[in-house]
Every structure is written in C-alpha cells, then in structure tokens.
Amino acid sequence: MSQENIRNFSIIAHIDHGKSTLADRLLELTNTIDKKKMMPQFLDSMDLEREKGITIKLKAIRMELDELKIENLKLKIPSSRYILNLVDTPGHVDFSYEVSRSLAAVEGTILLVDATQGIQAQTLANLELAKQQNLKIIPVVNKIDSPIAKVEESVDELANLLNIMPEEIIKISAKDGTNVEQVLEAVIKQIPAPQESHDKPFRALIFDSEFDSFKGVIAYVRVVDGEISDREKIELMATDTPAEIKELGYLNPSFSAKEKLSAGDIGYIATGIKEPGKVTAGDTIIKLQTVATRGSVQPLPGYQEPKPMVFASLYPENPDDFDILKVALSKLKLNDPALVFEQEMKEALGRGFNCGFLGTLHIEIIAERLEREFDLDLVISTPSVVYKVFDQKDKEIFIYSASDWPDQSKIKRTEEPWVSLEVIAPSSQMGKLMEILKGLKGNYIETNYLTPERAIIVFETPLRGIIANLYDKIKTASQGYASMNYKMIGYRPGKLVKMEILIAGKKEEAFSRIVAEDEAYSEGKKMVEKLKDVLPPQMFSVALQAAVGGKIIARETIKAYMKDVAGYLYGGDITRKNKLRNKQKKGKKLMKEKGRVNVPTKAFLEVFRA
Ligand SMILES: Nc1nc2c(ncn2[C@@H]2O[C@H](COP(=O)(O)OP(=O)(O)OP(=O)(O)O)[C@@H](O)[C@H]2O)c(=O)[nH]1
Ligand SMILES: [Mg+2]
C-alpha cells in the first residue's frame, strides 16, 4: 500500500476523559476486533489496568478501512483502502513518558476533553508535548451524552485554548458512539500521511518493547525510512548490538507476522536479543552495516531521558531472590523505560535497588507488576525526593534514600527540591483548594484564568509535599473537578531531619523518612497510627514507635491476638489438632525471640500512601 493511505495517530487527554473508550468505538467501526472478543477499554489488556480502570501502557493497534466499509459507514472521504495506526496513551501524569514516546511515532493526535470536566492539567501538558512534535491536532469534546456534560462550555474552552473556531471541534459520545464517524473522517482528511521515504536506507524508531522468552526482546517500532524483510540482519545503534530478526509484523492487536515492514508503518520486530539492557526506547534500528556502509546512516533523534521525581528502595523479602529481582527490573524497564534503578546494599536489608520513578502511582504499579509478573515479595522504602545535605565543611551530598541520611551532628545545612505547581479548577472551588495548598508551606504566586469559570493557581512548594499524596487530596476536595501538574524549579534551603520507625523495638529502616523539623511530631504520629491500621494482626503485642535523633516522638501498640490454627479441622482427629497447636506455640516463641514482624508489601504501599 502506498504511504499516501497510511495515517498514524494517537489519542491524548487528561486521565479518564475517555481515550480508551473512543479507541473501542474506532476498533468497532473498522471491524478490527471480533465482536465476540470486544469488551470495554479493549486496549487496557493488563490485569492491573482493568482492575484500576486506568491505562498504564501506551498501546498501538493497526486498523484497516476499505471501500466497502467507507460506503457502509457513509464516510465523506475518497473511496480507497486506508491503514490507520492508532496509539492509545495513558492520562495519569505518572505515565507521561508513555505519551511522549507515542507522539514521536505518529503524525497527528486526537485531543480529547471530557465535557463533564473541561480542560484539565494533563490536557494542557499533553497538548504541549504534541505541539513540540508539530503534530496535527484534532480537537474532540467527549461524553456529550452525560446529564452533567457542559458541552458548549467545554467547546468554548477548547476553542479558546487552541485559538480556533468552536465549529472545528467534534462533539462525541465515545460511550454510545455518537459522531465517532466524524472523528474517523477527520483523521483521514486532516492528519498528514507519512512522508515518502521508501528509497532511503532502513531506519526505525523503537518507541516501546517487551521481553518474550522465545523471541527475545520485541521492539515496537515506527519505520521512518526504507523497508526491511523478516529474514534480514539488523543492528541497534545506541548499544551497537547486532541481531537477526526472528519475526516482524503488525499489531492487530496480537502479533500478526508479515514478510516486511516499510516506511510509514507501525509494527514490531522480534530481535531474538536475550539481554534486556541492549534494547532501549528511542534507539534506532538499521540494517546490519558492512565495512563500506558503516557510519553512513544517522540515528534518529530519539527521546529525552525521563527525569525521575521520587526514589524508593526495593529489596526482595527473601534475600535469595536478589537475582530474580535484578532480572525482573531489567525486563520491566523494557516495558517501562521511565524506571531507573541502581544496585545498593543496606545493613538491615541486604542487597537491593534504589529506584527512580515518575511519581508514587508509578512506584505502586512497578511494585505490583514485580509481584504479579515475577512472583516476588518486596520490601519497599518510603518514597523520597533527592535531598542535598551539606556537611560541616559545606561539601554537598545528594541523598537518594532516607537510610543514607548522615548523623545529625555531621550536617551543617540541608536543601530540598522545589516545584512550580499548577492546579486547574473551576473558579468556584478556588477557596477549598487554596486551603489545601496553604498546608503545603509554599509560596502562592498567581492565579490565571483560562476562562471566567476556570482558573489556574500557580504555587511554589517543596516537591516533598506533592509526593505525599497531594493529587488525591485535590481530587477529593474538588469532587474530581480539579487537577494538577508540576515542574522542578531547583533546590532551596529547608530544615530537615530523619524520622525513624521502630516496630517491636527494632528499627525498620524501610519506613524511615525525611521530614521537616517542625512537622516531625505530627508526621510521626500519623505514621504509627497508619501502621497500626495496616499491619496484619500479630501473635504477640507489638509496639510501634516514631523517633527523631533517638528520641521517641510517637507511640502506638498492636494488641496480641490468638489465632486458633486448628479451628478449621472440625471433627475427628484430636492428635492432629494438638500437633498443629504445638507447632503454633513453637512458631510464636521463635517470632518473639527474633522480634520480627512480617510486613507485607501491601502494608508498605499503604503506609507511604498515607
Ligand atoms: N457518559 C460517558 N462516559 C464515558 C464516555 N466515554 C468514556 N466514558 C467513561 O469514562 C470512564 C473513563 O474512560 P476511559 O476510556 O477508560 O478513559 P481514558 O481516557 O482511557 O482513561 P486513562 O487511560 O486512564 O487516562 C469510563 O468509566 C468510561 O465508561 C462517554 O462518552 N460518555
Ligand atoms: Mg485509557
């Protein structure tokens, strides 16, 4: 097929504005998925995505339109065959790197705004990303079927933002399908076809990848120039890795093997490479070069490295699982290149990794994926930003994890990262939100108005306060109508101390966190109360304490409980019951001696979410 008839596009929006639901309707209109297999948010294929009701991963899928479908749908476009490559993207801010990688693979994007919500923080942030790529933008207002939709208001807001006429905005219901044909028409009419470049040497951009134990690393690619067949040898430019293609083809939605991929196509290449670290998002795949051709093909621009905002340490609960965790992280990184990790060693915890994430939801998702996909039980430290500590000689040290915090006597002064925070909200909710923002101890900067009804509050504040669940607080206070975004602005002085948690008298390093000196007492109290809630009942009573510089500042106790392990063995064999009870007694004694309380991964996640 000629490149003229290919359209590559993504759907971008704030979280929950209906991207995946619109994708469903497009898949249906183009008969891409068998009706029997169709289900809501079809492209959210990960269990975690379905459970949480959010998209986590970008997802590419190829759709086809032919003359017959065009006639049946009465589409006002030239009758022909078209290939439509759609990339669905996540809306949550923690997964914005997925969005930026998707945008580099396409020529245009649908910008969706939920009419019940209006423009939100990630509408603006993702629009900015699309503009940087010079993409054609198709503005669409969704959820017009909803009784609480403010359709005309949302249309005006969006027209204002894009500086276009309101008539240019398509009004749809992705849920019931109203006007979705118009979106399809706009994609074909307005989004430019990929530029003709068949004759150039083959170059493909890796925008995503995953590990397959049989086919090795599978790279998801956008072919930029030339073409490649399924029997050819390739090389990955960044890591200088040669490979022999095992298979290539399209995604619709499973792997559909083909003989070749050509310029303009979006598809996959199974590389056979077994070392996950050799394949990186943003790298360029070219044909294996000869001595004569080496150096003649230039790499594609690739991606800007994502900047991790929060750091947390991950340790396997069972130290023997360290190697499994190591492999798991590198396999996961293929599928989530925003994750960064570095090996570390802690006295109390053994060998583990200090990992960088884009936000706390990102940590939660990675932890859950490690548990589910690799069957690992983890110990996760409380997430932290990167602090700067100056020693008595005023030498600066970067601190990535609370457990590296020096003894207070060695510290001359401390600094922490600040961000510029933007909260977008209906003007009527400004009061409530200002209350929350004031609690952050930052500086109010200004309020700007998108429209008379919708304002953007700008605040400067320590990043520390944002990762402590500001997102949820803002959502709750505004019944979901406000949203936020933030940018790093640099380091500023702050009086910080390390707070430690003792469980049954023993320091649990993973719960240590850095807090502002004047908040240590309230933070400590909050933390032991939360721990009391989330720790599973123990067989002996357990003291929970918070301490700063060795001084206890808060305390709670979990009362002992007696579990009858033999209770379920009703009737019959009394000797078996006694045996079990004796075993329990022994276990209890052992645990008491060790003074260890088993803290499940879920409890770590619950505590840092508090
Ligand atoms: N009433 C109504 N609800 C809709 C419409 N489109 C989507 N929804 C609902 O909005 C919610 C979010 O839809 P999704 O399609 O998952 O939104 P998304 O933008 O893909 O969300 P993320 O990928 O997590 O950012 C779901 O409950 C949908 O059923 C619509 O046109 N009308
Ligand atoms: Mg989605």
Side-chain angles (χ1 to χ4, degrees), residues 196-469:
E196 200 62 57
S197 54
H198 271 288
D199 314 331
K200 294 190 185 161
F202 173 78
R203 286 197 301 176
L205 170 74
I206 304 178
F207 62 88
D208 201 8
S209 55
E210 68 178 299
F211 192 81
D212 181 287
S213 30
F214 297 108
K215 297 173 193 161
V217 177
I218 299 180
Y220 293 95
V221 296
R222 159 66 197 265
V223 182
V224 176
D225 298 322
E227 58 179 40
I228 190 118
S229 80
D230 61 352
R231 292 281 159 240
E232 283 183 90
K233 293 196 173 111
I234 51 171
E235 64 182 66
L236 280 70
M237 294 189 84
T239 52
D240 207 1
T241 308
E244 200 162 331
I245 296 178
K246 296 271 176 257
E247 184 184 307
L248 55 70
Y250 302 137
L251 302 149
N252 65 350
S254 47
F255 300 119
S256 162
K258 291 284 174 291
E259 278 167 12
K260 64 171 195 186
L261 286 176
S262 311
D265 277 337
I266 288 180
Y268 70 95
I269 295 178
T271 62
I273 296 172
K274 291 285 160 68
E275 302 117 293
K278 298 276 186 198
V279 185
T280 48
D283 195 2
T284 306
I285 300 184
I286 54 176
K287 287 189 185 179
L288 191 66
Q289 301 292 293
T290 61
V291 177
T293 56
R294 187 153 303 275
S296 63
V297 190
Q298 293 304 309
L300 294 160
Y303 300 117
Q304 235 174 16
E305 289 272 310
K307 210 171 164 34
M309 291 284 192
V310 283
F311 286 79
S313 294
L314 300 188
Y315 285 81
E317 210 175 276
N318 175 356
D320 296 343
D321 287 346
F322 173 79
D323 289 322
I324 302 179
L325 176 60
K326 187 173 178 176
V327 174
L329 282 169
S330 55
K331 284 184 180 169
L332 214 53
K333 186 175 169 69
L334 274 176
N335 202 236
D336 186 351
L339 168 72
V340 297
F341 55 92
E342 200 171 276
Q343 196 171 319
E344 66 173 14
M345 173 115 186
K346 295 242 163 78
E347 208 181 306
L349 299 164
R351 284 190 303 166
F353 292 89
N354 186 249
C355 306
F357 304 88
L358 293 185
T360 45
L361 180 63
H362 192 203
I363 305 182
E364 204 175 318
I365 297 295
I366 292 281
E368 295 233 15
R369 289 189 69 183
L370 287 168
E371 293 216 317
R372 287 172 192 221
E373 295 169 31
F374 302 92
D375 206 16
L376 282 161
D377 290 319
L378 300 170
V379 175
I380 304 166
S381 71
T382 307
S384 173
V385 303
V386 181
Y387 294 101
K388 266 191 205 173
V389 166
F390 293 81
D391 67 11
Q392 297 298 354
K393 291 186 185 124
D394 223 27
K395 191 174 145 249
E396 118 188 338
I397 313 162
F398 285 93
I399 304 284
Y400 287 85
S401 139
S403 54
D404 295 335
W405 195 259
D407 198 70
Q408 209 60 34
S409 64
K410 298 205 170 82
I411 299 175
K412 185 172 175 193
R413 60 193 178 95
T414 50
E415 283 184 4
E416 63 176 325
W418 277 56
V419 293
S420 164
L421 168 73
E422 286 185 358
V423 175
I424 301 191
S427 314
S428 58
Q429 294 187 334
M430 302 281 288
K432 267 188 283 184
L433 292 166
M434 279 306 247
E435 280 308 305
I436 295 180
L437 294 178
K438 275 185 202 149
L440 291 176
K441 309 236 162 78
N443 310 321
Y444 167 77
I445 303 296
E446 60 182 356
T447 302
N448 298 312
Y449 286 85
L450 266 176
T451 63
E453 288 80 35
R454 186 173 296 273
I456 308 182
I457 315 171
V458 185
F459 223 82
E460 286 180 356
T461 181
L463 175 59
R464 178 171 49 91
I466 292 191
I467 66 167
N469 245 7

Side-chain angles (χ1 to χ4, degrees), residues 18-21 41 44 53-55 88-91:
K19 297 172 290 294
S20 303
T21 307
Q41 287 96 34
D44 289 345
I54 55 169
T55 304
D88 186 22
T89 66

